[in-house]
Amino acid sequence: QEREALVGSLQDSPKPPPERVSLTLRVLNAARSLLLVACGSSKAPVLQRILEGKEEEQLPAALLRPRSGRLRWLLDEAAAAELSIPVEKPSGM
């Protein structure tokens, strides 16, 4: 939800590490190329929410929309297992 800052910091993140620095959506959506990587079945439900969800309160990754760049997702089969949208598999797989 940050609109002005380029970088944000947390001192008490609920997930490790508690102290972290993150690029904001403003910076990420200005990128020429974004690659998101997710592996494992534990990621499947959240990926379905991000890529297929119609939620009012979207997760941050669902707000990634590069203005003049390209967004790609790299998922293993377990992470993509709950998706109903078409998934492109690399040749030879």
Side-chain angles (χ1 to χ4, degrees), residues 51-86:
L51 298 174
E52 297 181 358
K54 306 282 189 260
E55 302 171 357
E56 286 185 33
E57 288 287 325
Q58 293 180 317
L59 296 171
L63 301 173
L64 291 172
R65 292 184 183 88
R67 290 186 296 274
S68 60
R70 188 171 201 171
L71 170 62
R72 290 185 181 213
W73 289 84
L74 182 60
L75 314 174
D76 66 3
E77 286 191 36
E82 295 185 23
L83 298 176
S84 60
I85 59 174

